[in-house]
Amino acid sequence: MTKMTMVQALNLAMQQEMAKDDRVLLQGEDVGVDGGVFRVTDKLLEQFGEERVLDTPLAESGIVGTAIGMAIYGLRPVCEIQFSGFSYYILHQLEAHAARMRHRSQGRYEVPLVVRMPYGGGVRALEHHSESREAYFAHTPGVKMVIPSGPRNARALLVSAIRDPNPVIFFEPKALYRAFREEVPEEEESIPLGQPQLVRKGKDVTLIAYGAMMTPTLEAAEELLAKDGVEAEVIDLLTISPLDDALIMASVQKTGRAVVVHEAPKSFGPGAEIIARLMEKAFYYLEAPIQRVTGYDIIYPLFALESAYMPNTGRIVQAVRETLKT
Amino acid sequence: MTKMTMVQALNLAMQQEMAKDDRVLLQGEDVGVDGGVFRVTDKLLEQFGEERVLDTPLAESGIVGTAIGMAIYGLRPVCEIQFSGFSYYILHQLEAHAARMRHRSQGRYEVPLVVRMPYGGGVRALEHHSESREAYFAHTPGVKMVIPSGPRNARALLVSAIRDPNPVIFFEPKALYRAFREEVPEEEESIPLGQPQLVRKGKDVTLIAYGAMMTPTLEAAEELLAKDGVEAEVIDLLTISPLDDALIMASVQKTGRAVVVHEAPKSFGPGAEIIARLMEKAFYYLEAPIQRVTGYDIIYPLFALESAYMPNTGRIVQAVRETLKT
Amino acid sequence: MPRKKIELPYSAEYLSILDENGVVDKELEPQLSEELLLKLHRAMLAGRRFDERMLNLQRQGRIGTFPPIKGQEASQLGAVAVLEPSDWMVPAFRETLAEIWRGKAMENFILYYGGYDEGSMVEKGRNDLPVSIPVGSQMLHAVGIGMAIKYRKQPQVAMTFFGDGATSEGDFHEALNFAGVYQAPVVFVCQNNQWAISIPREKQTHAKTLAQKALAHGLPGIQVDGNDVLAVYAAAQEAVERARFGGGPTLIECYTYRLSLHTTADDPTKYREAEEVAQWEKKDPIIRFQTYLQNKGLLTPEALEGMEEEIAKEIQDVVEQSEQRMTGGEPLDMFQHTYDELPPSLRQQKEEVRSNLALAQKEVDHD
Amino acid sequence: MPRKKIELPYSAEYLSILDENGVVDKELEPQLSEELLLKLHRAMLAGRRFDERMLNLQRQGRIGTFPPIKGQEASQLGAVAVLEPSDWMVPAFRETLAEIWRGKAMENFILYYGGYDEGSMVEKGRNDLPVSIPVGSQMLHAVGIGMAIKYRKQPQVAMTFFGDGATSEGDFHEALNFAGVYQAPVVFVCQNNQWAISIPREKQTHAKTLAQKALAHGLPGIQVDGNDVLAVYAAAQEAVERARFGGGPTLIECYTYRLSLHTTADDPTKYREAEEVAQWEKKDPIIRFQTYLQNKGLLTPEALEGMEEEIAKEIQDVVEQSEQRMTGGEPLDMFQHTYDELPPSLRQQKEEVRSNLALAQKEVDHD
Ligand SMILES: Cc1ncc(C[n+]2csc(CCOP(=O)(O)OP(=O)(O)O)c2C)c(N)n1
Ligand SMILES: Cc1ncc(C[n+]2csc(CCOP(=O)(O)OP(=O)(O)O)c2C)c(N)n1
Ligand SMILES: [Mg+2]
Ligand SMILES: [Mg+2]
């Protein structure tokens, strides 16, 4: 095992999948010679050549639209959108075609497409470079929405996403690209899509988060134990949609309390669905209202104020204390 | 007062606003000579001329992108997207610019833009012509998401949308375009955006719906009274986002039970947000889990099966009975 | 102000071979086998008759909305007829005849427009995409297929169809640009039928032709008489050869006319003159081709009559067979094909539907 | 196959007036007042120095990411200098000098790239849009402004800037097409600086020039030496006049070069040769213009020196003033400007932030 950043781990996933499956190819803006603006595809052009690592013209719909054609032909294109703030350009191709081709052709064609993109805030970026709009894709039937939270699961999930026969939107928490390293095994490792993970056991309250928010969420769990003696159970969604809520139900039926955390704007955000599921399946176990710690329903501010926008350990701890009041 | 269909009522709203405010103009595919494929803009070209009713080239992003420029200049463009299934082409212009120009220019510019479009199922249409994806727009800060449910409120809400200084996405339930007529006053009438309406008083359960779903929801309320003696209170959201939940809270704090109805896919749909709000603000009043009666997380089927997809009176009645079991 | 003119490698061109009176330009006449000529004629005739029958079915409420092809038979058939079965075809939604030529069963059109998803099924072996309704969006798929063909070094090409209105969508240009950059084996066939619902070609763009749009992307563009099956065939053949042998993509503008409705939901009298339609009726692609065949001694009035009867019967059978299959459908089938496997949330939703149906059934039994 | 060539009303052209050695083509030399010539020179020099200083500030961590303009001073200034204050300017994100010329305070750039939303404020009276980061999206706004100008029968024009990469986005073509259809008074100024981050111009499109993309939409397109402020000025003047007096839109391709980084987050050594940059250093737009002014006897080494000192001082003051304003910001301000008025849900969220802040304050006081 070597310690890797998420950038290196993602690179490893693509490198290995490309090495063993010549159907896999990459395309996007600056993914080749430049190795991606975050270097996630670094050196892959040298290894696999221009035929399999395509530096495309500057057109997101073109990138995904052509990738849909490639996927129908039988390839497994992995596209990069440079920032999720520019992913809205692809929604029509994704919703109208990638998500529907299997259904429209009644099973004749599938679109094993992965669209990777960095998302989220906290990196002192320019406008459009800090948003989290996973809810758009999570609400799109036919698409899978995946978000890793560390180098190791990023690698293992990307491998599964590349092998998945359905279109997968793969959000990469850019704040974590180089935030910390983890042991990542050289040998192949994958995590099945669609399975949230229990990352910390506890009995008093369930914290549900994903992506970059796992960091403050786990910190909050620590702080709650240290300062309040509260044992928080923590769940990492990993796959936002289709959402398998079994683990969440089991946990909340045990703890009776929950807090959901995400960077995305609060209203009509992913947290709402989790709460709705809990309402449907765990209502009688709830001892207090479930709290949301999220971004706000506003234009994401430039970085002088982003720390005021982003959920942080303090806000999460605070919310947990609220739920524990009753 | 004359009895009008929703198509006529919407036409009246635009006709009157254009007559008294020369900043208002229309653009879209086939809105001029053809009067719109549903005839919602019929005769407006004859009355106001090509300068104010623009038959545009076939390009949704072009329609909304140019309208943003017009709005910044000081006009009040009302755009038509022929079907909401093609609205995904405008998301980047809407999210990146219409929703943000006020903030980006720090108040110097505003984008008083209305984008009208028919949405929803039940009309035996082709693929892409039956979807309901209001959640995409509801989750977009800076935008208002409005959906009328009858000729009279359609007219009154469109008037307010045209006068609103913020970008408004205006979904028109195509199933109701000619489904029934209502008295619509000749003289000006408007309903403020952002205010759900109580359309039926009751004490046993609260039904929350909007748009075309108001019809089966109100039928269900009738049936429940007739067959079960249950008095259902019914709320019509009218403005989906920004969502003012005061009326919903007041009602559910009284009834203790609620069912949310929409055509949109269930997961990550608008119903989830309503349930999350109730969780936050009415938890201690709830006597049973809140139910969702919605579309499914699948590709909307062609019309042979659409009745199986669409929420109907029977499903709503059934859900209410569920909530009343406990 | 004096300045240097920039010389471009390509210019837009125009081609016509068989004029509206059926007179052929001997110089340009492609040498097609009698068999192929007759096959093309029969296909166009059958396409026309099937279109007419579909319109009746719709008017009788036996199927839903559909887009007639009347007048565009040569414009789509001339192009698709050049393809090998192993080539790929990416249609818009008005290529009914092209799809039939490629092997799609007429029955499936009736099912599809009758509201049954099974109707858009693509049989194994036919390398076509299903119809694409979002205007301008499908050409990118053809380009991606072309890029994949090039990657796999296959001797295939991808041909895609779209309308005049589609050339205003950004995706059209992104498709041409990608095709140019990667020199993908793609043939872009624009069905310029002069109308995008109620919007006439002149309002769609300030450009004199649609063919010249290729110049923006450094590609050859040609405008052909779309009601002249020989011209369309010749232009398509040249483009397909070029693409197949590494010469890159071509844009073909077929200059034709939509003689019928945009769809059965449309009323053209709102936006165009009967006179204009009458003028184009004179340019009918089938009649001029029949004249051509008769002059060549390949077609007699008797043969034509027999053919008409044969086609009528064939269509009648198809209608009957398909209607036997239109029995309402199985609700639970709607959960198929959204994902390869049902995720837990959809399994639950499917169960919910199953029990609702059972419940509804119980109530029916009650009353 | 023989066929008719389609004659187009326009062809793409090329213009250069002041060559890289500062030698002017007397025939083409525009007659600009000495005052304007000197003003253009000083603006370019100040733009260059401000750019250098911003780079330092970023390297010292005093501001965040920003996109340098080095090398493109003439390419943007020559165009914007033609505008009247009442005209509209719609920039991308690399038009710093054009924005300064139009009246935007240098201070605001430091605030904006320092992370303060106030920095992108547009003062009343300046008819410019704020920077637009989504590539290719802003040209449509200029077209809409142009359509509104036409509707209001105002003697204004809208000029919009974008890069070579932006010409690959569908929105670029939708903008040209709408501008053509409505003959809107718009001037499209493409800053072809040869690179879109790491993608060279040749990989962006198979087209020989970007100017020829105008032909797809039936518009005139011209390519000019973007490092020649006189050529850019002359071409822009012609286009602006045409637009102002009802002649419709024009596409101008300014052929220039990005001498510096894409943004401060970029490392060009990854994708381009120092040699290429060195070649373009020789074509520096400021140096050649200084030679021209000196030959005209309008500029002396002494005057230049004085000017440099003056500019240095001016920039120093700006930096100090802006940094005094960069005091962290007021969290509750982030709720401003999403809507004209705070809806109830946002009022509640704002309250939540207010109390969180209070709480955090309490805890700080505690420790
Ligand atoms: C993106 C999109 N916008 C609007 C529509 C509605 N619509 C269906 S066909 C059509 C006109 C298409 O015109 P054209 O491309 O010329 O094809 P034709 O119908 O003439 O065959 C329109 C506007 C659509 N299907 N997709
Ligand atoms: C829609 C969109 N896609 C990607 C990006 C990321 N990005 C920022 S600038 C840029 C390159 C732009 O190149 P060009 O248009 O030539 O302008 P230049 O940077 O050279 O001035 C890219 C890909 C973006 N900002 N917007
Ligand atoms: Mg057409
Ligand atoms: Mg560039």
Side-chain angles (χ1 to χ4, degrees):
Chain A
M1 297 247 223
T2 40
K3 285 210 164 250
M4 294 187 185
T5 62
M6 186 181 288
V7 165
Q8 295 167 318
L10 290 165
N11 185 279
L12 177 67
M14 288 184 274
Q15 189 273 330
Q16 291 184 331
E17 287 304 297
M18 290 179 80
K20 80 160 184 303
D21 183 350
D22 73 356
R23 295 173 304 170
V24 180
L25 43 76
L26 312 182
Q27 69 172 6
E29 295 154 11
D30 309 291
V31 297
V33 178
D34 202 36
V37 294
F38 287 102
R39 302 291 179 260
V40 178
T41 55
D42 207 20
K43 302 271 180 302
L44 297 176
L45 174 67
E46 287 82 332
Q47 185 176 349
F48 298 102
E50 285 202 333
E51 285 191 323
R52 293 183 65 189
V53 181
L54 287 73
D55 267 324
T56 64
L58 209 172
E60 288 69 21
S61 180
I63 291 166
V64 171
T66 54
I68 289 169
M70 293 177 188
I72 288 169
Y73 189 85
L75 303 182
R76 297 190 161 248
V78 179
C79 301
E80 175 175 300
I81 297 299
Q82 208 159 74
F83 288 90
S84 68
F86 310 123
S87 63
Y88 318 134
Y89 286 76
I90 73 169
L91 186 62
H92 65 286
Q93 282 291 342
L94 189 79
E95 196 282 339
H97 297 299
R100 293 167 176 269
M101 198 54 74
R102 175 192 304 281
H103 183 264
R104 189 180 301 143
S105 68
Q106 294 287 290
R108 163 72 187 279
Y109 299 120
E110 50 188 21
V111 181
L113 167 72
V114 178
V115 187
R116 301 173 34 242
M117 61 191 91
Y119 87 97
V123 300
R124 295 168 50 86
L126 291 164
E127 192 186 4
H128 310 289
H129 291 65
S130 304
E131 286 70 14
S132 303
R133 297 289 170 83
E134 56 275 16
Y136 292 156
F137 303 107
H139 187 57
T140 303
V143 172
K144 295 186 177 184
M145 176 75 240
V146 175
I147 307 184
S149 59
R152 187 165 183 169
N153 62 33
R155 182 278 191 101
L157 286 167
L158 183 53
V159 166
S160 298
I162 292 171
R163 297 177 187 175
D164 197 275
N166 306 286
V168 178
I169 298 294
F170 194 89
F171 268 25
E172 300 167 359
K174 69 174 86 70
L176 302 186
Y177 267 154
R178 295 183 169 77
F180 59 91
R181 293 167 177 271
E182 278 179 349
E183 297 284 350
V184 177
E186 245 314 304
E187 58 282 5
E188 161 174 335
E189 180 176 67
S190 68
I191 300 176
L193 302 188
Q195 296 184 11
Q197 271 183 5
L198 186 69
V199 293
R200 181 185 173 110
K201 288 199 71 49
K203 58 174 182 37
D204 303 326
V205 59
T206 304
L207 307 187
I208 302 152
Y210 53 89
M213 288 296 102
M214 289 309 296
T215 310
T217 303
L218 287 165
E219 279 170 17
E222 275 304 322
E223 187 173 328
L224 285 160
L225 184 62
K227 294 192 179 168
D228 309 39
V230 170
E231 293 178 28
E233 184 145 293
V234 181
I235 291 173
D236 184 347
L237 289 185
L238 297 180
T239 295
I240 311 307
S241 170
L243 178 64
D244 180 350
D245 52 38
L247 183 64
I248 298 171
M249 295 311 145
S251 176
V252 177
Q253 287 174 5
K254 176 179 66 181
T255 62
R257 304 170 195 276
V259 173
V260 187
V261 185
H262 59 66
E263 298 176 47
K266 183 176 195 175
S267 296
F268 304 91
E273 178 61 23
I274 292 162
I275 292 173
R277 298 276 185 105
L278 285 163
M279 171 68 74
E280 287 159 0
K281 302 175 175 178
F283 179 74
Y284 296 106
Y285 300 83
L286 294 176
E287 283 159 23
I290 298 162
Q291 302 273 330
R292 286 187 282 183
V293 178
T294 68
Y296 303 106
D297 303 345
I298 58 174
I299 305 305
Y300 191 100
L302 288 185
F303 60 83
L305 296 185
E306 73 177 330
S307 61
Y309 176 96
M310 290 282 273
N312 54 33
T313 308
R315 280 173 62 193
I316 299 167
V317 167
Q318 184 50 33
V320 170
R321 288 177 179 153
E322 276 302 315
T323 62
L324 288 163
K325 277 204 180 128
T326 50
Chain B
M1 297 248 225
T2 39
K3 285 210 165 255
M4 292 187 185
T5 61
M6 187 181 287
V7 164
Q8 295 168 318
L10 291 164
N11 185 278
L12 177 67
M14 289 184 273
Q15 188 272 331
Q16 290 184 331
E17 287 304 296
M18 290 179 80
K20 80 159 184 304
D21 183 350
D22 73 355
R23 295 172 306 171
V24 180
L25 43 76
L26 312 183
Q27 69 173 7
E29 295 154 10
D30 310 291
V31 297
V33 177
D34 202 38
V37 294
F38 286 102
R39 302 290 180 262
V40 177
T41 55
D42 206 22
K43 303 267 179 307
L44 297 176
L45 174 67
E46 287 83 330
Q47 183 175 352
F48 298 102
E50 284 200 333
E51 286 191 324
R52 294 183 65 189
V53 181
L54 288 73
D55 267 324
T56 64
L58 209 172
E60 288 70 21
S61 180
I63 290 166
V64 171
T66 54
I68 289 169
M70 294 177 185
I72 289 169
Y73 189 85
L75 303 183
R76 297 192 160 244
V78 178
C79 301
E80 174 175 301
I81 297 298
Q82 209 159 74
F83 288 90
S84 68
F86 310 123
S87 64
Y88 318 134
Y89 286 75
I90 74 170
L91 186 61
H92 66 285
Q93 282 291 342
L94 189 79
E95 196 282 340
H97 297 298
R100 293 168 175 267
M101 197 54 74
R102 175 192 305 280
H103 182 264
R104 189 179 301 142
S105 68
Q106 294 289 290
R108 164 70 187 280
Y109 299 120
E110 50 187 21
V111 181
L113 167 71
V114 178
V115 187
R116 299 174 35 242
M117 60 191 91
Y119 87 98
V123 300
R124 296 170 49 90
L126 292 164
E127 192 187 3
H128 310 288
H129 292 65
S130 303
E131 286 70 15
S132 302
R133 296 290 168 83
E134 55 276 16
Y136 291 156
F137 303 109
H139 188 57
T140 303
V143 171
K144 294 187 177 183
M145 177 74 240
V146 175
I147 307 184
S149 59
R152 187 165 182 169
N153 63 31
R155 183 276 192 102
L157 286 166
L158 184 53
V159 166
S160 298
I162 292 171
R163 296 176 188 175
D164 197 274
N166 306 287
V168 179
I169 298 293
F170 195 88
F171 267 25
E172 300 167 359
K174 69 174 85 71
L176 302 186
Y177 267 154
R178 295 183 169 78
F180 58 91
R181 294 167 176 271
E182 278 179 351
E183 297 283 351
V184 177
E186 244 317 302
E187 59 282 5
E188 159 174 336
E189 180 176 68
S190 68
I191 300 175
L193 302 188
Q195 296 183 11
Q197 271 184 6
L198 185 71
V199 293
R200 180 184 174 110
K201 287 199 73 51
K203 58 175 181 36
D204 303 324
V205 59
T206 304
L207 308 187
I208 301 152
Y210 53 90
M213 288 297 101
M214 289 310 295
T215 311
T217 302
L218 286 165
E219 279 169 17
E222 274 305 320
E223 188 174 327
L224 284 160
L225 184 62
K227 293 192 179 168
D228 309 39
V230 169
E231 294 180 27
E233 183 145 295
V234 181
I235 291 173
D236 183 348
L237 290 184
L238 298 179
T239 296
I240 312 306
S241 171
L243 178 64
D244 181 349
D245 52 39
L247 183 64
I248 298 170
M249 295 311 144
S251 176
V252 177
Q253 287 173 6
K254 177 179 67 182
T255 62
R257 304 170 195 275
V259 172
V260 187
V261 185
H262 58 66
E263 298 175 49
K266 184 175 194 175
S267 296
F268 304 91
E273 178 61 23
I274 291 161
I275 292 172
R277 298 276 185 106
L278 285 163
M279 172 68 73
E280 286 158 0
K281 301 175 175 179
F283 179 75
Y284 296 106
Y285 299 85
L286 294 178
E287 284 158 24
I290 297 162
Q291 302 274 331
R292 287 188 281 182
V293 178
T294 69
Y296 303 106
D297 302 344
I298 58 174
I299 306 305
Y300 192 100
L302 288 185
F303 60 83
L305 295 185
E306 74 178 331
S307 61
Y309 176 96
M310 290 282 272
N312 54 35
T313 309
R315 281 173 61 193
I316 300 167
V317 167
Q318 184 50 31
V320 170
R321 288 176 180 155
E322 276 303 316
T323 63
L324 288 163
K325 277 205 181 126
T326 53
Chain C
M1 183 191 312
R3 45 181 60 155
K4 277 215 317 303
K5 183 174 186 310
I6 294 167
E7 289 310 327
L8 301 182
Y10 295 113
S11 67
E13 298 174 319
Y14 179 79
L15 175 69
S16 155
I17 297 176
L18 184 66
D19 75 13
E20 58 185 278
N21 304 317
V23 181
V24 69
D25 179 329
K26 287 282 170 216
E27 300 277 292
L28 305 179
E29 182 177 15
Q31 296 315 314
L32 307 186
S33 71
E34 295 189 355
E35 186 198 354
L36 177 56
L37 289 172
L38 291 171
K39 206 162 157 244
L40 291 172
H41 169 255
R42 191 187 193 287
M44 290 200 281
L45 196 64
R48 175 71 58 93
R49 299 296 171 246
F50 183 58
D51 202 54
E52 290 162 351
R53 185 59 190 274
M54 291 280 281
L55 191 52
N56 292 339
L57 291 177
Q58 192 281 334
R59 292 314 191 206
Q60 297 162 356
R62 290 156 70 181
I63 62 171
T65 310
F66 94 101
I69 66 166
K70 187 180 181 191
Q72 300 178 223
E73 294 85 356
S75 194
Q76 50 187 263
L77 186 64
V80 80
V82 172
L83 296 180
E84 299 295 330
S86 57
D87 290 328
W88 285 74
M89 200 272 284
V90 180
F93 49 80
R94 203 185 295 282
E95 280 68 51
T96 305
L97 177 53
E99 291 185 280
I100 292 172
W101 177 270
R102 291 281 290 174
K104 181 166 169 181
M106 285 184 177
E107 202 172 309
N108 283 344
F109 290 92
I110 298 177
L111 280 171
Y112 179 70
Y113 291 112
Y116 292 80
D117 286 295
E118 303 86 296
S120 72
M121 180 260 291
V122 181
E123 322 75 52
K124 280 235 168 305
R126 183 164 62 92
N127 285 346
D128 301 348
L129 264 51
V131 301
S132 176
I133 289 175
V135 172
S137 59
Q138 72 279 8
M139 296 88 95
L140 279 167
H141 309 155
V143 176
I145 289 170
M147 290 165 73
I149 288 170
K150 196 173 178 184
Y151 172 64
R152 289 305 193 191
K153 304 192 171 42
Q154 293 300 303
Q156 299 165 297
V157 307
M159 178 181 282
T160 183
F161 290 86
F162 51 94
D164 44 300
T167 65
S168 293
E169 288 282 2
D171 278 6
F172 163 68
H173 287 281
E174 294 190 14
L176 284 180
N177 196 48
F178 271 65
V181 166
Y182 298 106
Q183 289 294 294
V186 182
V187 177
F188 295 87
V189 185
C190 179
Q191 300 285 297
N192 174 8
N193 62 7
Q194 312 306 327
W195 292 92
I197 305 186
S198 71
I199 310 299
R201 160 55 194 88
E202 318 78 65
K203 279 192 176 178
Q204 200 61 246
T205 176
H206 190 59
K208 183 173 157 189
T209 69
L210 301 178
Q212 78 200 59
K213 290 179 184 287
L215 302 178
H217 309 284
L219 306 178
I222 179 168
Q223 184 185 60
V224 304
D225 178 347
N227 287 9
D228 169 1
V229 72
L230 298 179
V232 177
Y233 189 95
Q237 191 164 40
E238 182 181 279
V240 165
E241 296 289 292
R242 177 163 45 229
R244 202 184 296 287
F245 300 108
T250 303
L251 170 61
I252 299 174
E253 173 189 0
C254 297
Y255 197 86
T256 180
Y257 193 80
R258 191 192 84 219
L259 287 171
S260 182
L261 314 158
H262 166 70
T263 68
T264 47
D266 175 47
D267 170 15
T269 63
K270 271 280 264 189
Y271 54 80
R272 70 184 187 184
E273 299 300 327
E275 178 47 31
E276 177 184 301
V277 182
Q279 285 308 317
W280 276 94
E281 295 274 6
K282 300 206 192 92
K283 304 186 207 273
D284 191 305
I286 298 180
I287 293 169
R288 82 170 70 169
F289 193 55
Q290 288 176 336
T291 312
Y292 171 73
L293 293 178
Q294 277 159 3
N295 296 343
K296 273 180 113 64
L298 297 176
L299 187 69
T300 64
E302 301 66 38
L304 187 56
E305 214 172 281
M307 203 179 291
E308 290 278 15
E309 283 167 14
E310 209 178 275
I311 291 170
K313 160 128 194 23
E314 182 186 330
I315 293 174
Q316 181 54 31
D317 295 346
V318 164
V319 172
E320 285 163 13
Q321 281 146 23
S322 22
E323 289 196 321
Q324 274 163 27
R325 289 174 58 190
M326 294 161 71
T327 54
E330 167 48 56
L332 293 176
D333 285 354
M334 70 184 169
F335 287 92
Q336 272 178 36
H337 302 310
T338 291
Y339 295 96
D340 64 319
E341 288 177 0
L342 280 187
S345 48
L346 276 180
R347 278 203 298 276
Q348 291 163 22
Q349 290 180 20
K350 189 174 179 182
E351 272 323 301
E352 184 189 316
V353 173
R354 197 194 302 282
S355 53
N356 284 339
L357 290 170
L359 206 84
Q361 194 48 48
K362 269 228 321 283
E363 284 176 1
V364 174
D365 304 347
H366 261 288
D367 315 342
Chain D
M1 181 193 314
R3 40 172 72 147
K4 275 216 318 306
K5 181 173 185 310
I6 294 167
E7 291 308 328
L8 302 180
Y10 295 112
S11 66
E13 298 173 319
Y14 179 80
L15 176 70
S16 153
I17 297 176
L18 184 66
D19 74 15
E20 56 186 280
N21 304 318
V23 181
V24 68
D25 178 331
K26 287 282 168 215
E27 301 278 292
L28 305 179
E29 182 178 15
Q31 296 315 314
L32 307 185
S33 70
E34 297 188 354
E35 188 198 352
L36 177 57
L37 290 171
L38 290 171
K39 207 162 156 244
L40 291 171
H41 170 255
R42 192 188 192 285
M44 289 199 282
L45 197 63
R48 175 72 58 93
R49 299 295 171 247
F50 184 59
D51 202 53
E52 291 163 350
R53 184 59 188 274
M54 292 279 281
L55 191 52
N56 292 338
L57 291 176
Q58 193 281 335
R59 292 315 190 205
Q60 296 162 355
R62 290 156 70 181
I63 62 171
T65 311
F66 93 100
I69 66 166
K70 186 179 181 190
Q72 301 179 220
E73 294 86 356
S75 194
Q76 49 187 264
L77 186 64
V80 79
V82 172
L83 296 180
E84 299 295 328
S86 57
D87 291 328
W88 286 73
M89 200 271 284
V90 180
F93 50 80
R94 204 183 296 283
E95 281 68 52
T96 304
L97 176 53
E99 291 185 279
I100 292 172
W101 176 272
R102 291 281 291 175
K104 182 167 170 180
M106 286 183 178
E107 205 172 305
N108 284 344
F109 290 93
I110 298 178
L111 280 171
Y112 179 71
Y113 291 112
Y116 292 79
D117 287 296
E118 303 87 298
S120 72
M121 180 259 291
V122 182
E123 323 75 53
K124 278 234 169 307
R126 182 165 62 91
N127 286 347
D128 301 349
L129 263 49
V131 301
S132 176
I133 289 175
V135 171
S137 60
Q138 72 279 7
M139 296 88 95
L140 279 167
H141 311 154
V143 176
I145 289 170
M147 290 165 74
I149 287 170
K150 196 171 179 186
Y151 172 63
R152 289 304 194 193
K153 303 190 170 44
Q154 293 301 304
Q156 299 165 297
V157 307
M159 177 180 282
T160 183
F161 290 86
F162 52 93
D164 44 301
T167 64
S168 294
E169 288 282 0
D171 277 7
F172 162 69
H173 288 281
E174 295 190 13
L176 284 180
N177 196 47
F178 270 66
V181 166
Y182 298 106
Q183 289 294 295
V186 182
V187 177
F188 295 87
V189 184
C190 180
Q191 301 283 297
N192 174 8
N193 61 7
Q194 312 306 327
W195 291 93
I197 305 187
S198 70
I199 309 300
R201 162 51 198 92
E202 319 76 65
K203 279 192 175 178
Q204 200 60 245
T205 176
H206 190 61
K208 185 171 156 191
T209 70
L210 300 179
Q212 78 198 61
K213 291 180 184 286
L215 302 178
H217 309 284
L219 306 178
I222 179 168
Q223 185 186 58
V224 303
D225 178 347
N227 287 9
D228 168 0
V229 71
L230 297 180
V232 176
Y233 190 95
Q237 191 164 41
E238 183 182 276
V240 165
E241 297 289 292
R242 176 164 45 231
R244 203 184 297 285
F245 300 109
T250 304
L251 170 60
I252 299 174
E253 173 189 0
C254 297
Y255 198 85
T256 180
Y257 192 79
R258 193 193 81 218
L259 287 172
S260 182
L261 313 160
H262 167 68
T263 68
T264 47
D266 175 47
D267 171 15
T269 63
K270 271 278 261 185
Y271 55 79
R272 70 184 187 186
E273 300 299 328
E275 179 46 32
E276 176 183 303
V277 182
Q279 285 310 317
W280 277 93
E281 294 274 6
K282 300 208 192 91
K283 304 184 207 263
D284 190 306
I286 297 179
I287 294 169
R288 82 170 69 169
F289 193 53
Q290 288 176 338
T291 312
Y292 170 73
L293 294 178
Q294 278 160 2
N295 295 345
K296 272 178 116 60
L298 295 176
L299 186 68
T300 64
E302 301 66 38
L304 188 55
E305 213 171 285
M307 202 179 291
E308 289 277 15
E309 283 166 15
E310 207 177 276
I311 291 169
K313 161 125 193 25
E314 182 185 331
I315 292 174
Q316 182 53 31
D317 295 347
V318 165
V319 171
E320 285 163 13
Q321 282 148 24
S322 17
E323 290 197 320
Q324 276 164 26
R325 289 175 58 188
M326 293 161 71
T327 54
E330 167 47 57
L332 294 176
D333 286 354
M334 70 184 170
F335 287 92
Q336 273 177 37
H337 303 310
T338 291
Y339 295 95
D340 64 319
E341 287 177 1
L342 279 186
S345 48
L346 275 180
R347 277 203 301 276
Q348 291 162 23
Q349 291 179 19
K350 188 174 179 181
E351 273 322 301
E352 185 189 314
V353 173
R354 197 194 302 280
S355 52
N356 285 340
L357 290 169
L359 206 81
Q361 194 47 49
K362 267 226 321 285
E363 284 176 3
V364 174
D365 303 348
H366 262 284
D367 314 342

